[in-house]
Amino acid sequence: MPDSMKLAIPCSSCFYLLPDSQRGLNAPRPTYLRELGNTSLYDMTCDRGHQQRGWLANHKFEILFESGIKALKDEYYREAVTSFAVALERFYEFSIILLLMDNFFDENQRLRGLDVLPKFGKFWSKTLKFSERQLGAFCSLYISEFGQIPLLFDDSELRNKVIHAGYIPTLNEALVFGEGVNKSIKQFCKKYDEKDVGRPYKRATYVQRVSIALDGLKLKSPLITADYGHMTKVSLFVDATVDSYFNGSITIADYIASMPTS
Ligand SMILES: [Zn+2]
């Protein structure tokens, strides 16, 4: 099995110690490696001893997709296909929350009521937790929002062979599969972004807050992100909130070629 994926989290204290001219997306270099966890909240101590508590703005599906890329790079093609397939499922979850955003927040980005998310969280864990139902909910919401049927990436054939029949895909099969998922996610992110031009805020930038609040409710400790330190973002291949991702043309193969050899 490949090493579990680690996320390199940058330290904001180190960031502010640098002069303005030297600060950038990857400067200073991230100094803290955290295991890929199931929660977006973290506590860290950087190499220089700064302590930091915060939450990651990267969505779960983006992290799972990165995990697929890493498996591909390490020549674990079954694991790569599985991660890409699960990333796509989690992307539908992301999309459902995005398309329902106006039910959660008003135009001033304020929650529409303290019970809105707990009620939705209950509904989600009882009724919407199954991936087939999520796909149905996503398609309905999408048709309602855009007046057209979503163009879905049909991943079922290879996915079922790999997950249910123990099939070992080739590098090329895994790469083509990953690119199919990537293209599909990109196309939807672009549509969401275009639809939000002129809105008071882009819905994609608020999904993670809702996801974290829902995670907190599941853990029975309601967490408001504002109370949990500041937001940090790790640089990943997929980023639903930046147009350089969904308007860009970098392929998974290009990205792997640019990664440092470990
Ligand atoms: Zn630091």
Side-chain angles (χ1 to χ4, degrees):
M1 285 294 292
D3 293 342
S4 64
M5 192 176 105
K6 292 199 169 124
L7 290 176
I9 300 178
C11 171
S12 61
S13 300
C14 288
F15 180 84
Y16 288 112
L17 284 173
L18 278 182
D20 280 358
S21 61
Q22 288 173 36
R23 290 180 200 155
L25 187 60
N26 283 307
R29 306 293 310 167
T31 55
Y32 178 81
L33 289 178
R34 196 198 78 161
E35 299 281 335
L36 181 61
N38 279 310
T39 156
S40 297
L41 306 170
Y42 65 85
D43 285 292
M44 67 174 244
T45 307
C46 87
D47 291 350
R48 289 179 177 165
H50 301 128
Q51 293 191 332
Q52 183 174 301
R53 171 179 242 215
W55 55 280
L56 288 175
N58 305 86
H59 299 101
K60 192 72 185 281
F61 77 90
E62 298 167 342
I63 294 172
L64 288 165
F65 198 93
E66 194 80 8
S67 166
I69 293 178
K70 185 167 188 299
L72 203 57
K73 177 173 176 272
D74 294 344
E75 303 178 348
Y76 292 93
Y77 308 136
R78 259 177 69 77
E79 285 77 3
V81 167
T82 307
S83 291
F84 292 140
V86 176
L88 185 61
E89 282 181 2
R90 297 281 73 76
F91 174 72
Y92 294 140
E93 189 174 315
F94 162 90
S95 298
I96 291 169
I97 293 172
L98 183 145
L99 295 168
L100 285 173
M101 196 61 77
D102 289 343
N103 293 272
F104 304 139
F105 291 102
D106 65 18
E107 62 277 12
N108 298 313
Q109 289 131 282
R110 276 193 304 250
L111 266 175
R112 287 191 184 275
L114 285 176
D115 62 340
V116 173
L117 288 177
K119 274 187 180 165
F120 180 73
K122 232 178 221 171
F123 169 68
W124 187 284
S125 55
K126 281 200 171 149
T127 308
L128 261 191
K129 67 175 169 186
F130 305 102
S131 56
E132 286 293 308
R133 292 184 187 175
Q134 288 176 13
L135 184 59
F138 164 69
C139 291
S140 306
L141 287 166
Y142 186 91
I143 292 168
S144 164
E145 175 90 19
F146 294 100
Q148 49 186 243
I149 292 167
L151 192 63
L152 298 177
F153 172 64
D154 180 11
D155 66 343
S156 55
E157 198 186 335
L158 184 67
R159 180 188 184 283
N160 290 341
K161 258 166 74 180
V162 166
I163 294 177
H164 301 300
Y167 178 71
I168 299 173
T170 63
L171 163 64
N172 192 50
E173 282 173 323
L175 196 55
V176 169
F177 186 87
E179 275 302 351
V181 172
N182 175 37
K183 206 175 141 195
S184 181
I185 290 175
K186 262 187 177 186
Q187 156 223 306
F188 287 124
C189 287
K190 196 171 171 173
K191 291 209 68 143
Y192 303 156
D193 189 74
E194 285 167 0
K195 189 73 196 274
D196 282 4
V197 171
R199 281 177 62 101
Y201 65 95
K202 300 233 176 193
R203 285 172 290 180
T205 59
Y206 265 71
V207 174
Q208 183 65 343
R209 285 159 225 245
V210 176
S211 300
I212 291 176
L214 292 174
D215 280 349
L217 290 165
K218 262 188 268 169
L219 300 168
K220 306 243 188 296
S221 64
L223 286 159
I224 307 292
T225 52
D227 294 341
Y228 206 91
H230 52 260
M231 183 264 268
T232 300
K233 198 169 189 176
V234 175
S235 174
L236 300 175
F237 179 76
V238 176
D239 186 338
T241 59
V242 300
D243 61 3
S244 61
Y245 166 63
F246 48 79
N247 288 319
S249 57
I250 175 169
T251 64
I252 295 172
D254 292 340
Y255 183 70
I256 290 177
S258 76
M259 288 168 105
T261 44
S262 51

